Amino acid sequence: MARFGGRGGRGFLTEEEKKNKPEITGKLLKRIFAYLLPYWKQLTVVVATIIISSVLAVYPTLLTGLIIDDGLIGRDFKKLVTLIGISFAVLLASNLVNVLQHYINVWVAHHIIYDMRNNMFAHLQKMSNRFFTTNKQGDIITRMTSDIDGVRRVVATSLTNIIQNVTTLLVALVAMYQKNWFLATLAFV
């Protein structure tokens, strides 16, 4: 019996898929990290851009408060123009950092997928003829492409989204506590 799950209905699992679902073990994680390890420099840049992007994401809110308090209410036109200029520069910098992060992240994901496909092809070349006569070729190809596509989605989106959300939350909490610890605690609770 198929079961609905995941986003967009892509989570139908057959009984065979449920039975063959891999158990997450230390050996599996070590194998996964073996694919990530050659790209540790690029992944470090991705994490750095996520942190920079999270810090820059908080600034527009802080600048908006200054624009209203100091520029509009304080009737300081020069400060208002300066703060709007800074706000525009922060927005531009944030978008450029996001583009860089996305580019490197997709680059890493595609290279990992390339490595996995080459390893899988080399492994299939070593299989006996009996393997190909007892298993349906369509099932082998479907399993191979869907598993690799799942890895691509995790590397390209899920992993970075988790890191970005946690980092943004931490940066926002720090900014809130710097402004007013009582209101920040109240909001957090």
Side-chain angles (χ1 to χ4, degrees), residues 86-144:
I86 292 171
S87 184
F88 180 73
V90 167
L91 180 66
L92 184 65
S94 177
N95 286 330
L96 289 174
V97 168
N98 284 336
V99 168
L100 176 66
Q101 175 211 330
H102 182 71
Y103 175 79
I104 295 172
N105 199 20
V106 168
W107 185 90
V108 168
H110 282 287
H111 279 77
I112 289 172
I113 297 309
Y114 179 78
D115 294 346
M116 291 180 85
R117 284 185 178 152
N118 283 338
N119 289 346
M120 182 111 31
F121 183 75
H123 179 72
L124 286 174
Q125 291 291 315
K126 295 176 187 172
M127 300 301 285
S128 67
N129 286 335
R130 185 170 186 261
F131 172 78
F132 294 103
T133 57
T134 58
N135 293 301
K136 298 177 187 172
Q137 284 80 15
D139 289 344
I140 295 168
I141 292 170
T142 301
R143 178 73 188 259
M144 186 172 83

Side-chain angles (χ1 to χ4, degrees), residues 7-8 15 35 55 73 87 93 98 115 140 148 160 171 180 183:
R7 254 193 302 191
E15 290 300 322
Y35 283 105
V55 170
I73 295 174
S87 184
N98 284 336
D115 294 346
I140 295 168
I148 289 177
T160 54
V171 170
N180 188 327
L183 288 177

